[in-house]
Amino acid sequence: MANASETDEPALPGPPAASTYAKLLLLGLIICVSLAGNLALALLVLKERGLHRAPYYFLLDLCLADAVRAAVCFPFVLVSIRHGSAWTHSPLSCKVLAFLAVLFCFHAAFLLFCISVTRYMAVAHHRFYAKRMSRWTCVAVICMVWTLSVAMAFPPVFDVGTYKFIREEDQCIFEHRYFKANDTLGFMLMLAVLLGATHAVYGKLLCFEYRHRKMKPVQMVPAISQNWTFHGPGATGQAAANWIAGFGRGPMPPTLLGVRQNGHAANRRLLGMEEFKAEKRLGKMFYVITVLFLLLWSPYIVACYWRVFVKACSIPQRYLATAVWMSFAQAAVNPIVCFLLNKELKKGLAAHVPCRRTEPPLPREPYCVM
């Protein structure tokens, strides 16, 4: 009888398992939803002039970053899953993709923190916010966010830390090792501090709204000028100042001849009832986005800290896989939240979807009864 070692042929790789097909299908769904949703949201913000405001500029930057992440990083994860959790490309491409993955993570964290600060300013310091938060200010904030994100993601390129392919995660990412082996501790502390500071700002905003819940918002009721007197709901001691600020109706009083009346719509610095409700809705939308970012990334952050501080035992594979896929899903949830919670975006989307347009009823033909 021949020896088994002499007769056995090398085993051929079998067909992919059902779990592999499930991973490919799930990641393909995440890519499609992320690209379709984020690009639709970005095009809507660019096309609608009514959305050319500071919060939507930040939302545009956030959506474009998620779309690029889904289009550039996730296809390589698909390839690695298809090849049995193996990296088939060059080490340089692995470093580039890991750099991009860390860059987009820190970009979202920095940008959400800046958005929380602007949401607080829009409600608590609306005069300063309306005066200073111009388009170029938004561009400067976005550039600062990208600069800080690059500064956080770039050191491992020069081997300060390690970018490599992690087989258990099916992706190229920062390798978190025991804190005595590298300087990964500071890398993760920055992300935790950013998330904590963002929620602290939203907590301060909620406290501000709670303290001022009994204050009536400014009612835009103008005073009517009649010769040298003012009458009407706004006829108080500041009626003349209101008229100068653009709130007055009627002829100019003789005592104010030569004083120019400011345009009410263009130069208003007061937070009216409708503006307050709109700012509150925007704050709610961005806070939900921030909470989802924390919920979807926190299991992976916990896994990273586990690798840093716990050397005795390894992370359970099922927990690590769940944490990684939750971080992947974060790239697709923002458009869903925005279209569900924002009426302006919902109306804009309905106006541009052909099947949602309602045609005016056709006029009926006149008829007579014989």
Side-chain angles (χ1 to χ4, degrees):
M1 183 179 292
N3 196 358
S5 61
E6 297 177 359
T7 57
D8 287 348
E9 296 181 356
L12 296 176
S19 61
T20 302
Y21 285 117
K23 289 181 179 180
L24 294 174
L25 181 62
L26 180 59
L27 189 56
L29 178 64
I30 292 174
I31 293 174
C32 294
V33 173
S34 178
L35 288 177
N38 286 299
L39 291 179
L41 190 55
L43 291 174
L44 187 61
V45 172
L46 290 173
K47 191 172 183 179
E48 293 290 332
R49 295 185 61 86
L51 301 178
H52 292 179
R53 307 199 306 270
Y56 294 104
Y57 292 145
F58 297 139
L59 183 62
L60 174 65
D61 181 56
L62 189 65
C63 291
L64 291 178
D66 286 340
V68 173
R69 180 188 173 204
V72 175
C73 299
F74 290 170
F76 287 90
V77 179
L78 280 175
V79 174
S80 67
I81 294 173
R82 184 66 181 84
H83 289 84
S85 299
W87 185 254
T88 57
H89 305 280
S90 64
L92 179 61
S93 61
C94 183
K95 272 194 171 185
V96 172
L97 287 173
F99 167 77
L100 291 176
V102 175
L103 174 69
F104 292 134
C105 176
F106 273 99
H107 166 264
F110 277 116
L111 187 61
L112 289 175
F113 172 73
C114 293
I115 290 173
S116 68
V117 174
T118 59
R119 289 298 87 213
Y120 176 78
M121 291 171 57
V123 175
H125 305 283
H126 186 72
R127 182 186 297 270
F128 178 83
Y129 174 84
K131 185 177 180 181
R132 299 296 182 185
M133 193 54 63
S134 62
R135 180 180 302 178
W136 292 110
T137 305
C138 297
V139 172
V141 171
I142 291 172
C143 291
M144 179 193 68
V145 166
W146 281 108
T147 303
L148 293 174
S149 304
V150 170
M152 289 301 302
F154 207 74
V157 176
F158 296 102
D159 293 328
V160 182
T162 306
Y163 282 153
K164 63 177 295 185
F165 178 75
I166 309 297
R167 182 182 177 87
E168 293 81 6
E169 301 181 17
D170 294 313
Q171 64 173 338
C172 289
I173 199 67
F174 189 90
E175 183 186 17
H176 299 280
R177 293 175 291 180
Y178 195 56
F179 70 94
K180 293 182 179 179
N182 61 6
D183 55 354
T184 184
L185 183 59
F187 190 82
M188 294 306 301
L189 279 178
M190 176 58 73
L191 187 59
V193 167
L194 277 174
L195 295 176
T198 304
H199 286 274
V201 175
Y202 278 114
K204 188 175 181 180
L205 176 60
L206 292 175
C207 291
F208 178 86
E209 293 180 353
Y210 180 79
R211 288 196 305 267
H212 296 79
R213 67 191 185 280
K214 294 183 179 180
M215 296 180 63
K216 293 182 179 180
V218 177
Q219 300 287 344
M220 302 305 180
V221 180
I224 302 175
S225 62
Q226 187 70 28
N227 295 331
W228 61 88
T229 62
F230 289 88
H231 60 87
T236 63
Q238 291 190 351
N242 291 343
W243 192 93
I244 295 173
F247 292 91
R249 295 198 305 264
M252 177 185 294
T255 56
L256 298 180
L257 289 176
V259 180
R260 185 176 63 179
Q261 184 182 24
N262 294 329
H264 171 61
N267 298 291
R268 183 169 60 190
R269 294 291 181 264
L270 299 175
L271 186 61
M273 175 73 79
E274 294 302 322
E275 286 181 326
F276 175 76
K277 290 182 179 179
E279 297 293 350
K280 194 173 181 179
R281 287 194 296 267
L282 283 172
K284 178 182 177 181
M285 181 190 73
F286 281 115
Y287 183 65
V288 172
I289 291 176
T290 304
V291 170
L292 285 176
F293 181 85
L294 177 63
L295 292 178
L296 293 175
W297 274 98
S298 56
Y300 186 76
I301 295 174
V302 171
C304 294
Y305 276 109
W306 191 323
R307 287 170 173 165
V308 171
F309 290 107
V310 182
K311 192 177 182 181
C313 60
S314 60
I315 307 173
Q317 179 60 33
R318 183 171 296 181
Y319 173 84
L320 182 60
T322 303
V324 170
W325 283 89
M326 288 176 66
S327 67
F328 290 165
Q330 187 272 327
V333 298
N334 290 344
I336 300 174
V337 172
C338 293
F339 286 123
L340 288 177
L341 298 182
N342 192 295
K343 293 182 179 179
E344 292 180 291
L345 294 175
K346 194 182 299 184
K347 290 180 181 178
L349 181 65
H352 289 86
V353 175
C355 62
R356 292 292 302 273
R357 293 177 182 173
T358 58
E359 297 293 337
L362 295 176
R364 294 184 177 181
E365 293 290 338
Y367 64 94
C368 59
V369 180
M370 301 298 293

